[in-house]
Amino acid sequence: MTMEMKDSGSVVLTAYHPHSPARIPGMEQSFVQDIPSSRSPGSRKSLPRCRRINRMLSNESMPTSPPAFTRSNSQASVDSTSMEDFWCEVESIKESSEDGPEEATLLEFKPADEGELEAEWLQDVGLSTLISGTEEEDGQALLSTLTRTQAAAVQKRYNTYTQTLRKKNKHTVRDVRDIFGTSDSTPTFETVPVSPVPSNGIQLPGQKPVWKSVSSNSCLDCGLDKGSSSITEELSYEVSFSESITVLPKTREWTKSQRFKKEDSALPKFIVRKSRFGLTEVGDLSPEDMKKIRYLSLIELTAFYDALGVELKRNRAERVRRRENGLFGVPLTVLLENDQKKVPGIKVPLIFQKLLLKLEETGLETEGILRVPGSASRVKNLHQELEAKFYEDTFDWDQVRNNDAAGLLKMFIRELPSPLFTVEYLPAFITLVEKIPKIKLQLQALHLLIMLLPEANRDTAKAFLQFLKKVVANEGKNKMNLWNVSMIVAPNLFIYKGKRANQQEMQAAATTAHIVRLLIRYQDILWTVPSFLISQVRKMNEAAINNSKRQLMFDKGVRKLLRRKTMERERPERPEGAVTFPPYLQSDIPEGVIRVYAPLHSKVSMAIQLNSQTKAKDILARFHCENSRGLSQNVRSQIQSLHEVGGNIGQHCLDPDAYMLDVYRANPQAEWVIKPKAS
């Protein structure tokens, strides 16, 4: 018999004693005494059943019988820490779903062979040209920007795809050499140098990346409180993650990472120092450029897993029956389309925002919030009432108790037709913890997975994680620490209610809780776009512009027109959303001088001489000083930002700490506009 008890605050640890049916005197009594008031038996009617589920799953992951308690790789245990909160939440979800018949949402799911999966992968990364045989400029531009490891990842998937088609004798497969004009005996892709590049631009000849010596307020600091003795690590965004892997961990070392420690001190502290180009958040780039970021992120994630010797597992996308009206069980995109008719530009569904607001206003200090379930009957009635009254603005939010609001919030997430983190990449989330040994590498994989999310999913996930961070910040009053919150939230996010809610996923309890913990702890990092991806987007845009110019040169009609206008300066096509200015403001500007436009200010234009120390915030301050008297109250209340528009970027809201001379040299054809930052 083996027994291990450990005090974990609001997490109660149980003992396992397989060889003796006799009860240990006083054990059950002490167990009840350790339960906080919010976890009393009355608050969890199925508590004994939760305990049995916890033990059952732990036992099933062990190969021998009778099972002996061990601190091994079992995904159902965390350094002998009980996962009881997790299983109680699973049981609560099951009970709530039994109240009414669940509507089947799965319409079609077909197993795919390897070739079909690779074809879908090539389409998802924007390289459908390799499948269709058409010459797409975006595909050519994308291939021209790939690093060595990224090109190898594309090469591997393309070879698998073509080999599968040849085996099936479906049709003649076009060689990539025929499409892109390569002359080697095997399909190869041109790669970009792997040396570091500036965070928002192109490596200048003979120039090394410049790092600024910064204080704590000049970096992105994600980790523990200042009093922690945790190790501090610095993250670099200058070089792709896959290129940074130099030594492949030995196979026997993988298992060491599987013992999760729930203490906050087990998580390292990460610092992302700002380069001279500053940092870029996901909302700072245009939708067109973010689409390219998603292409590159999937290629980079695949290359990253390949470099680690880990299989990147993906579920095949499935078709689901969509509800077009209502609040719960409606796709995020449909909800946003409906909500944007009332509130243009909204990025997070109104019902989700309202539930978060309700909890932030009154529930953050409620003991056991998220963990203690509300009344099942009240939650069911509130659900029905919201569906009927929410859009009519007649719903009374004052009647909603905090625990019931938390139940509605979790219900909203669970009932999404497709999981918040998408069906396709749920296996990849699990794999990054089970197969990747170090938290730094786990975080890099998680970062790329967040970049892959559709815009609606990413914005909703961001709002949710920001709320969870506030819950943890109020641990002193609500008794919900980071691990508690992670265990409660994990089954709502990662146990999919469709066909894949299987035993294997259930056994990944500790894994999914650890993923949620990383998402909450390091969320500020996750919303920052890695600078090497921005650099590749710039190169993609430049390649597309150059391809367009070459195509124009072969058009006879255009050549005649160009001959009559040889003195005119060539300019790239103006991106959507760019500001149009009168001709007298568009004259040539000397080197190192930029003309900044501020359409909402009384002084709409100003030429500014840049030096090596000029920052974006200095330009904003100068405009504010010049226009302080003429600004309307509405403009004063808005947060103004400097935007880089056009050239080799669509639209880019600059970090206030960005050094403008460096950004200007990376994109000399850009226009510079002061306007409110998109919310």
Side-chain angles (χ1 to χ4, degrees):
M1 176 184 73
T2 304
M3 180 183 74
E4 186 164 332
M5 297 288 291
K6 183 177 178 182
D7 182 20
S8 60
S10 58
V11 179
V12 181
L13 305 187
T14 59
Y16 180 58
H17 41 98
H19 302 299
S20 175
R23 288 170 20 187
I24 298 175
M27 178 176 173
E28 289 190 6
Q29 182 179 358
S30 63
F31 176 81
V32 174
Q33 289 175 348
D34 286 341
I35 299 177
S37 58
S38 62
R39 292 285 308 280
S40 63
S43 67
R44 286 277 194 186
K45 293 186 294 184
S46 58
L47 186 58
R49 187 175 178 185
C50 295
R51 212 179 304 166
R52 290 197 302 272
I53 294 174
N54 190 18
R55 291 183 181 178
M56 178 187 71
L57 268 294
S58 297
N59 298 347
E60 287 183 2
S61 64
M62 300 177 188
T64 59
S65 181
F69 183 81
T70 174
R71 296 166 70 91
S72 69
N73 299 335
S74 171
Q75 289 302 308
S77 63
V78 184
D79 280 1
S80 307
T81 299
S82 170
M83 290 294 296
E84 189 169 307
D85 279 335
F86 184 99
W87 299 118
C88 286
E89 182 68 15
V90 171
E91 184 66 18
S92 178
I93 293 171
K94 182 179 179 182
E95 289 177 353
S96 66
S97 65
E98 290 173 350
D99 291 340
E102 184 174 331
E103 192 176 310
T105 58
L106 196 61
L107 280 185
E108 179 181 343
F109 175 75
K110 296 180 180 179
D113 62 29
E114 192 173 24
E116 290 173 330
L117 289 175
E118 304 298 18
E120 289 182 359
W121 185 90
L122 289 167
Q123 290 174 335
D124 289 346
V125 300
L127 291 175
S128 58
T129 179
L130 296 178
I131 301 172
S132 65
T134 59
E135 296 187 10
E136 298 176 5
E137 291 183 5
D138 287 346
Q140 296 181 49
L142 176 59
L143 288 172
S144 70
T145 69
L146 300 183
T147 65
R148 174 181 54 84
T149 53
Q150 291 171 353
V154 173
Q155 185 82 55
K156 180 179 178 181
R157 272 74 200 172
Y158 179 75
N159 288 343
T160 302
Y161 163 71
T162 56
Q163 290 167 8
T164 304
L165 287 190
R166 289 191 180 103
K167 288 179 181 178
K168 290 183 176 181
N169 296 319
K170 284 189 173 181
H171 56 77
T172 303
V173 181
R174 291 189 68 190
D175 196 294
V176 71
R177 293 170 294 173
D178 300 330
I179 302 171
F180 296 105
T182 57
S183 57
D184 296 334
S185 58
T186 58
T188 56
F189 305 104
E190 182 182 355
T191 63
V192 298
V194 298
S195 58
V197 293
S199 62
N200 287 325
I202 298 161
Q203 181 71 47
L204 301 177
Q207 183 184 35
K208 296 182 179 180
V210 180
W211 288 82
K212 175 194 170 196
S213 178
V214 293
S215 58
S216 59
N217 62 351
S218 298
C219 60
L220 187 60
D221 189 351
C222 290
L224 307 171
D225 296 332
K226 293 183 178 180
S228 171
S229 58
S230 170
I231 298 175
T232 299
E233 295 187 56
E234 185 171 301
L235 296 177
S236 172
Y237 288 161
E238 303 302 302
V239 180
S240 78
F241 301 152
S242 59
E243 294 287 349
S244 303
I245 298 174
T246 55
V247 179
L248 183 65
K250 297 179 181 179
T251 304
R252 63 175 179 270
E253 294 178 353
W254 293 119
T255 58
K256 297 179 182 179
S257 67
Q258 303 309 313
R259 298 176 185 170
F260 306 124
K261 297 180 181 179
K262 75 179 190 63
E263 294 80 8
D264 287 353
S265 59
L267 296 176
K269 183 177 182 179
F270 290 109
I271 292 178
V272 180
R273 295 194 181 274
K274 291 184 179 181
S275 72
R276 293 181 67 87
F277 292 83
L279 297 174
T280 300
E281 296 181 0
V282 289
D284 292 342
L285 293 173
S286 66
E288 294 77 18
D289 285 340
M290 279 307 302
K291 183 178 180 181
K292 296 167 186 172
I293 290 289
R294 286 195 289 274
Y295 289 160
L296 291 162
S297 295
L298 180 51
I299 295 175
E300 171 63 15
L301 180 70
T302 308
F304 185 72
Y305 275 56
D306 285 352
L308 290 171
V310 177
E311 180 185 0
L312 176 59
K313 296 181 179 179
R314 280 203 318 165
N315 287 327
R316 198 178 189 193
E318 54 188 340
R319 294 170 54 189
V320 297
R321 181 179 295 116
R322 293 163 43 123
R323 287 185 61 194
E324 299 297 330
N325 298 296
L327 302 173
F328 294 79
V330 180
L332 288 173
T333 51
V334 175
L335 272 175
L336 287 173
E337 287 174 5
N338 296 335
D339 290 348
Q340 286 169 357
K341 296 174 183 176
K342 299 186 65 174
V343 185
I346 194 171
K347 294 185 176 181
V348 178
L350 289 172
I351 179 61
F352 196 69
Q353 288 190 42
K354 188 60 182 179
L355 288 169
L356 293 177
L357 181 62
K358 169 67 179 177
L359 287 167
E360 288 178 10
E361 288 178 343
T362 62
L364 290 179
E365 297 181 358
T366 300
E367 186 171 344
I369 194 65
L370 294 178
R371 182 181 65 215
V372 179
S375 164
S377 60
R378 284 200 308 268
V379 171
K380 182 179 180 180
N381 290 334
L382 289 170
H383 173 202
Q384 294 173 349
E385 193 175 348
L386 274 169
E387 291 281 7
K389 297 181 178 180
F390 179 74
Y391 282 119
E392 296 177 359
D393 295 328
T394 57
F395 183 79
D396 181 13
W397 286 97
D398 293 335
Q399 67 172 320
V400 183
R401 304 182 187 185
N402 293 328
N403 295 101
D404 294 342
L408 288 167
L409 181 70
K410 292 185 289 185
M411 179 188 292
F412 177 88
I413 293 171
R414 287 196 310 271
E415 293 193 359
L416 289 172
S418 180
L420 190 60
F421 292 118
T422 71
V423 170
E424 292 90 333
Y425 295 103
L426 286 185
F429 278 93
I430 303 298
T431 303
L432 76 89
V433 174
E434 292 183 341
K435 300 295 184 181
I436 299 178
K438 296 182 180 179
I439 288 185
K440 180 178 180 179
L441 297 175
Q442 292 173 4
L443 182 58
Q444 289 175 325
L446 193 61
H447 198 166
L448 293 170
L449 281 165
I450 293 298
M451 292 294 108
L452 277 176
L453 292 178
E455 185 178 1
N457 296 59
R458 189 179 59 241
D459 291 336
T460 303
K462 182 178 181 180
F464 185 46
L465 292 174
Q466 288 173 338
F467 162 72
L468 296 179
K469 186 176 182 179
K470 294 175 183 177
V471 172
V472 175
N474 285 272
E475 176 190 349
K477 294 183 179 180
N478 61 35
K479 311 302 180 186
M480 295 292 293
N481 61 30
L482 180 59
W483 185 247
N484 296 147
V485 172
S486 301
M487 281 194 295
I488 297 300
V489 171
N492 292 280
L493 285 174
F494 289 104
I495 295 184
Y496 183 40
K497 67 179 181 179
K499 286 188 175 182
R500 294 176 188 77
N502 54 32
Q503 186 73 12
Q504 185 178 6
E505 284 185 354
M506 300 283 278
Q507 288 181 353
T511 299
T512 56
H514 180 64
I515 293 169
V516 176
R517 181 169 61 159
L518 296 179
L519 286 167
I520 298 172
R521 173 63 73 187
Y522 302 120
Q523 59 182 275
D524 292 341
I525 288 177
L526 299 177
W527 310 125
T528 303
V529 184
S531 53
F532 68 87
L533 293 179
I534 299 177
S535 177
Q536 288 184 274
V537 168
R538 290 186 185 277
K539 292 181 175 69
M540 278 187 68
N541 291 336
E542 288 187 339
I545 292 171
N546 291 334
N547 289 339
S548 297
K549 289 180 179 179
R550 283 194 293 268
Q551 185 177 358
L552 288 174
M553 292 302 295
F554 286 98
D555 188 302
K556 294 182 179 180
V558 173
R559 278 189 290 174
K560 292 179 180 178
L561 179 63
L562 289 177
R563 278 197 293 268
R564 293 197 301 267
K565 298 187 175 183
T566 53
M567 300 303 294
E568 293 185 7
R569 181 181 178 182
E570 289 186 14
R571 295 184 63 87
E573 184 179 351
R574 185 179 297 272
E576 184 178 352
V579 181
T580 302
F581 303 100
Y584 68 88
L585 293 179
Q586 299 179 12
S587 58
D588 289 342
I589 301 175
E591 175 73 17
V593 176
I594 63 172
R595 183 167 292 280
V596 182
Y597 307 103
L600 299 180
H601 291 67
S602 57
K603 188 169 185 177
V604 297
S605 173
M606 186 184 301
I608 296 178
Q609 175 69 57
L610 302 177
N611 59 49
S612 61
Q613 298 303 311
T614 306
K615 294 184 178 181
K617 62 183 179 183
D618 298 329
I619 295 175
L620 291 169
R622 183 168 172 180
F623 261 84
H624 181 76
C625 180
E626 293 278 347
N627 293 276
S628 58
R629 294 183 179 180
L631 286 178
S632 65
Q633 185 63 37
N634 183 40
V635 174
R636 288 177 187 170
S637 63
Q638 295 175 327
I639 300 177
Q640 303 283 307
S641 299
L642 181 60
H643 291 70
E644 170 193 7
V645 181
N648 57 32
I649 205 76
Q651 185 165 268
H652 180 201
C653 180
L654 294 173
D655 187 324
D657 289 325
Y659 285 86
M660 290 304 301
L661 190 57
D662 297 78
V663 181
Y664 163 76
R665 287 172 175 169
N667 191 9
Q669 299 299 322
E671 293 172 347
W672 314 94
V673 184
I674 294 176
K675 59 181 181 178
K677 181 177 180 179
S679 58

